[in-house]
Amino acid sequence: MKTADKWVDYELLDATDGERLERWGDIILIRPDPQVIWRSGRKSPLWERAHARYIRSSKGGGAWEMYKKVPEVWSISYGKLKFNLKPMGFKHTGLFPEQAVNWDMYTELLSAMNGAKVLNLFAYTGGATLACLSAGAAVTHVDASKGMVAWASDNAASSGLKSAPVRWIVDDCVKFVQREIRRGNSYDGIIMDPPSYGRGPGGEVWKLEDKIYDLISDTVKLLKDKSFLVINSYTAGLSPAVMDYMLNETAAASKGGCCESYELGLRVTESGCSLPCGATSVWCNI
């Protein structure tokens, strides 16, 4: 497991009884987490000082229960990167802090490349996009949600990257990849963070287990010989070993290089243990 342990503005304070207690800058939130199956008791006194708690509904979904005033939007930083946050439906804030492990990796990989072109698929609010831009790459940022792309653009502006070489594209990622193949385009790096389930802007249904292998196979066609490919997964059935197998059968089989797969984690302050938060698989031939 690789743990995102360089944060200053974010902290996983405690985790027990199906919930995690987190500090996002000065805002403390309680959110449900299905991985937290232990019942070790609430050790942090900050449980009683939380600004808000996300309560799941028995009918599906849920809502935020506000205990204190929470700004409509507030910001936290990771190094030079600045992210605008807000409490969203489905318990999210607009940022996955465990991905800081990979932001650091992108910086390291791109430091060995000059004028790299990176494609970020299912790019959400742009954490990976910002990391790549700050490392000097040109980025094509693609997401099916117009609102998420606008949010990512705002994050770039907040991070001083408004004039950086980036294309903001609202599109179905699978269709975009297929068009890029027909156009003959290629990239030095491709990053994807596909959802478990979703719909594209035209109502296209996306189910990860049914679509991911074909998408990886197509995406490999866009890679230069010396390049990298990163896949993030938050789907329980898609383990690091499964992703590693697919990358070996696609990218490594056609272009050489090597693969590495690992869990992502966040250190819990009260226990010192790490909470698993998804997985990443990397193919690299640089």
Side-chain angles (χ1 to χ4, degrees):
M1 179 183 289
K2 295 191 177 182
T3 304
D5 55 6
K6 298 179 182 178
W7 277 100
V8 175
D9 285 357
Y10 171 84
E11 184 179 5
L12 179 51
L13 299 162
D14 202 358
T16 187
D17 298 298
E19 293 182 314
R20 56 161 83 176
L21 178 71
E22 301 166 291
R23 178 180 62 81
W24 304 81
D26 295 328
I27 305 299
I28 298 174
L29 302 177
I30 300 172
R31 297 193 297 159
D33 191 320
Q35 297 272 25
V36 184
I37 63 174
W38 51 88
R39 297 182 295 277
S40 53
R42 296 186 172 192
K43 300 173 183 176
S44 173
L46 296 178
W47 286 98
E48 304 302 322
R49 293 168 54 187
H51 290 73
R53 180 187 183 192
Y54 187 86
I55 307 294
R56 288 198 182 279
S57 169
S58 59
K59 299 179 180 179
W64 288 94
E65 184 175 87
M66 298 295 179
Y67 305 134
K68 300 178 183 179
K69 185 176 180 179
V70 175
E72 184 175 340
V73 178
W74 75 99
S75 300
I76 65 172
S77 297
Y78 183 79
K80 297 179 180 179
L81 308 182
K82 192 170 184 178
F83 303 97
N84 301 306
L85 309 178
K86 58 184 176 182
M88 302 165 59
F90 302 103
K91 78 177 183 178
H92 297 304
T93 63
L95 187 67
F96 293 93
E98 62 274 7
Q99 285 293 331
V101 167
N102 291 331
W103 303 338
D104 292 340
M105 175 185 63
Y106 305 145
T107 300
E108 183 178 353
L109 286 172
L110 293 168
S111 67
M113 308 168 75
N114 185 26
K117 290 172 55 182
V118 175
L119 173 61
N120 188 12
L121 299 169
F122 309 95
Y124 195 51
T125 58
T129 294
L130 269 58
C132 294
L133 290 174
S134 68
V139 180
T140 299
H141 174 111
V142 187
D143 197 279
S145 169
K146 183 177 180 180
M148 290 299 116
V149 173
W151 193 338
S153 179
D154 288 343
N155 283 339
S158 296
S159 299
L161 297 167
K162 187 174 183 178
S163 300
V166 57
R167 291 194 299 158
W168 305 108
I169 296 176
V170 180
D171 202 351
D172 176 84
C173 290
V174 173
K175 292 182 178 179
F176 180 82
V177 167
Q178 292 168 349
R179 285 196 295 272
E180 287 289 88
I181 293 171
R182 293 195 293 270
R183 287 187 283 247
N185 287 333
S186 60
Y187 294 88
D188 300 284
I190 299 178
I191 301 162
M192 67 173 80
D193 196 350
S196 299
Y197 181 86
R199 291 185 180 273
E204 305 88 348
V205 176
W206 166 272
K207 187 177 179 183
L208 185 62
E209 292 90 337
D210 295 340
K211 303 286 189 179
I212 188 63
Y213 185 79
D214 289 341
L215 177 58
I216 294 172
S217 298
D218 283 345
T219 301
V220 168
K221 299 173 185 176
L222 297 177
L223 289 168
K224 297 179 181 179
D225 288 338
K226 298 295 183 181
S227 57
F228 66 89
L229 172 61
V230 179
I231 306 171
N232 294 300
S233 172
Y234 289 88
T235 303
L238 198 61
S239 69
V242 171
M243 293 194 295
D244 192 82
Y245 196 107
M246 289 190 289
L247 285 184
N248 272 292
E249 287 290 297
T250 53
S254 64
K255 297 180 178 297
C258 58
C259 300
E260 178 189 12
S261 297
Y262 47 86
E263 281 190 293
L264 297 172
L266 293 168
R267 191 82 64 192
V268 180
T269 299
E270 283 294 335
S271 68
C273 299
S274 292
L275 176 68
C277 303
T280 294
S281 190
V282 182
W283 168 82
C284 186
N285 187 25
I286 298 175

